[in-house]
Amino acid sequence: EDLKPFNFILVCGSLGNKSIPVQEASVAAFEKWGDQDNVGFLRSVKYHTKWLTEYAENVISYLESC
């Protein structure tokens, strides 16, 4: 919990990375945190592949159900 602001900044920055594995890991981090507050941010990102977009949409649905 003490690292939350730093983790959030790191992951947000990584979502903009051109590397698909880095972007995927960022979405996975948001999924693991399970925090509904991140839904808006995940929605605002342009993902680099169709499957990554679908993965992010699934994570958003999951977070909204938490």
Side-chain angles (χ1 to χ4, degrees):
E1 190 67 29
D2 291 338
L3 295 176
K4 187 173 181 178
F6 302 108
N7 291 343
F8 181 78
I9 292 168
L10 178 66
V11 171
C12 288
S14 297
L15 274 173
N17 194 295
K18 291 182 181 180
S19 168
I20 293 168
V22 170
Q23 204 175 37
E24 178 187 11
S26 300
V27 174
F30 280 121
E31 180 180 23
K32 182 173 176 129
W33 293 338
D35 188 348
Q36 287 182 336
D37 293 339
N38 297 320
V39 168
F41 188 77
L42 284 169
R43 279 195 177 119
S44 71
V45 174
K46 180 174 172 32
Y47 298 97
H48 298 296
T49 66
K50 182 179 178 180
W51 70 265
L52 193 52
T53 301
E54 291 170 356
Y55 174 44
E57 289 170 356
N58 288 335
V59 170
I60 290 167
S61 294
Y62 163 73
L63 294 175
E64 289 175 331
S65 72
C66 290

